[in-house]
């Protein structure tokens, strides 16, 4: 049977896009963990920045001392993870942790115009696109409404009451939704007459059947229409052709945005890390073979004692990522062994210990 193009695994789509990354060229990012989003914006706005180049990330601690690290992808993945976390908590978005829309509350108009002037919404879209292609996590905080708008335009969005974060407005709209007679509907709309004027609502309220149309129009105005400026700037997602891929394969990306990442277990971690072993038959290989079961015991004990959260901490320590990236790891995580002499052991006897993960 013919396979639909929309059912392609998202990993394959992202890996194909990542082939356009020139690993021989680098763009530098100098960032502090306490202000990672500011560092990202500076880097993206730099004249020499090119999203097709590899990212070279250098962190500094609170005392402005350089943090030395061999960049095998760990600093980059940590940087991308922190960018997504910072974006999800920024005032550019509002909603629950798992479902956030673009924000423009009336009390934040000044912040909105400042953000527009600094093109922060565009850079937010750029950051998400770059994160997906360069090995970072998925932006799982985006709401279904926002994702639908990105794929099919504003008319494709279907906001609901749960998308309204303003408690006062939520309560007023809820009363409209619960109206069962025309009289109740008119009483419910009375406190919203000014708001309806701002929303340019012109449908006459002559029957209770107008209730659902009214509610739908007000939700569209609040969640979608009044943030059209930020939404248009969010086209930074076109970077590296990510938005094109989302539009072409909406089903593939839907699971990426809305589903939780697979919970880590000991077997997954064991498969993820490749041991760099000495040649078979050598004394060193025999010693290494004796250590590998201890590594697996450690992973199993971690899972038994604290579950997925402990394994996640191990993954962050080793790779900088708190989940397996949608585009997978490059280079792949590995385990190396260091040989330490054992006291009172025969000459040339050695014992390996994992020293680099």
């Amino acid at each position: 049977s013919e396979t639909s193009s929309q059912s392609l695994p998202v990993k394959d789509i992202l890996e194909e896009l990542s082939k356009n990354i020139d690993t021989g060229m680098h763009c530098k990012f100098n960032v502090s963990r306490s202000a990672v989003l500011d560092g990202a914006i500076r880097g993206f706005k730099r004249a020499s920045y090119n999203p097709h180049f590899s990212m070279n990330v250098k962190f500094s601690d609170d005392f402005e001392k350089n943090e030395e690290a061999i960049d095998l992808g760990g600093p980059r993945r940590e940087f991308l993870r922190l960018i997504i976390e910072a974006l999800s908590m920024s005032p550019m978005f509002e909603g629950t942790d798992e479902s956030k829309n673009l924000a423009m509350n009336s009390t934040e108009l000044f912040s909105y115009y400042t953000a527009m002037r600094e093109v922060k919404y565009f850079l937010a879209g750029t950051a998400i696109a770059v994160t997906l292609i360069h090995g970072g996590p998925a932006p799982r905080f985006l709401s279904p409404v926002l994702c639908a708008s990105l794929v099919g335009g504003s008319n494709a969005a279907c906001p609901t009451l749960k998308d309204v974060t303003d408690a006062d407005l939520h309560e007023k709209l809820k009363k409209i939704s619960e109206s069962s007679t025309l009289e109740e509907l008119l009483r419910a709309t009375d406190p919203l007459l000014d708001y309806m004027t701002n929303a340019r609502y012109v449908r006459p309220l002559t029957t209770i059947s107008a209730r659902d149309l009214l509610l739908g129009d007000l939700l569209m105005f609040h969640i979608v229409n009044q943030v059209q400026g930020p939404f248009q700037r969010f086209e930074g997602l076109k970077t590296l052709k990510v938005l094109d891929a989302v539009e072409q394969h909406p089903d593939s990306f839907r699971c990426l945005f809305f589903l939780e990442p697979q919970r880590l277990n000991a077997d997954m971690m064991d498969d993820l890390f490749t041991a760099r072993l000495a040649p078979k038959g050598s004394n060193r290989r025999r010693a290494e073979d004796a250590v590998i079961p201890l590594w697996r015991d450690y992973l199993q004990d971690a899972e038994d004692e604290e579950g997925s959260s402990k394994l996640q901490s191990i993954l962050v320590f080793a790779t900088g990522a708190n989940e397996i990236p949608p585009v997978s790891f490059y280079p792949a995580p590995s385990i190396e062994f260091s040989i330490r002499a054992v006291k009172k052991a025969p000459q040339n006897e050695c014992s390996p210990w994992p020293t680099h993960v």
Side-chain angles (χ1 to χ4, degrees), residues 48-67:
S48 60
Y49 174 70
N50 188 324
H52 293 90
F53 293 172
S54 293
M55 305 173 71
N56 189 325
V57 179
K58 179 177 286 188
F59 286 106
S60 62
D61 59 24
D62 294 337
F63 299 98
E64 300 182 353
K65 295 178 181 178
N66 290 335
E67 179 186 89

Side-chain angles (χ1 to χ4, degrees), residues 24-235:
M25 301 294 292
H26 295 85
C27 290
K28 294 184 178 181
F29 288 81
N30 301 302
V31 296
S32 167
R33 289 183 177 87
S34 61
V36 68
L37 199 53
D38 290 340
I41 289 175
R42 289 199 314 274
F44 290 141
K45 293 174 68 175
R46 188 171 291 119
S48 60
Y49 174 70
N50 188 324
H52 293 90
F53 293 172
S54 293
M55 305 173 71
N56 189 325
V57 179
K58 179 177 286 188
F59 286 106
S60 62
D61 59 24
D62 294 337
F63 299 98
E64 300 182 353
K65 295 178 181 178
N66 290 335
E67 179 186 89
E68 296 181 1
I70 300 175
D71 191 354
L72 298 176
R76 166 175 49 83
R77 284 188 289 265
E78 181 182 2
F79 176 52
L80 297 175
R81 171 173 60 84
L82 293 176
I83 286 178
I84 294 299
E85 292 176 359
L87 281 176
S88 69
M89 295 184 290
S90 77
M92 288 184 284
F93 297 91
E94 64 178 7
T96 63
D97 290 343
E98 300 80 19
S99 181
K100 294 195 175 188
N101 293 298
L102 292 174
M104 195 194 77
N105 294 331
S106 58
T107 57
E108 295 177 347
L109 285 176
F110 179 77
S111 297
Y112 162 70
Y113 287 119
T114 299
M116 290 290 284
R117 184 171 62 251
E118 297 180 2
V119 206
K120 286 186 178 179
Y121 286 101
F122 179 85
L123 294 175
T126 300
I128 291 175
V130 168
T131 294
L132 286 173
I133 302 304
H134 283 264
R140 303 181 192 278
F141 64 90
L142 300 183
S143 72
V145 170
L146 179 52
C147 290
S149 298
L150 292 171
V151 172
S154 299
N155 293 332
C158 297
T160 64
L161 271 175
K162 67 180 182 180
D163 292 304
V164 180
T165 58
D166 185 306
D168 181 59
L169 180 60
H170 183 279
E171 187 61 29
K172 292 175 180 177
L173 294 177
K174 183 179 179 182
K175 288 182 178 179
I176 290 178
S177 70
E178 294 173 346
S179 300
S180 58
T181 66
L182 179 59
E183 290 74 17
E184 290 180 355
L185 178 60
L186 293 174
R187 285 197 299 270
T189 57
D190 188 60
L192 286 168
L193 292 179
D194 291 340
Y195 192 83
M196 292 166 62
T197 300
N198 292 333
R200 298 181 181 179
Y201 185 82
V202 296
R203 303 179 194 271
L205 299 177
T206 56
T207 64
I208 188 61
S209 62
R211 176 196 61 195
D212 294 339
L213 289 175
L214 169 63
L215 182 63
D217 286 347
L218 294 181
L219 287 172
M220 279 293 293
F221 170 74
H222 182 72
I223 303 298
V224 179
N225 295 340
Q226 72 169 349
V227 293
Q228 279 304 297
F231 180 77
Q232 292 171 5
R233 299 281 183 159
F234 204 55
E235 67 178 1

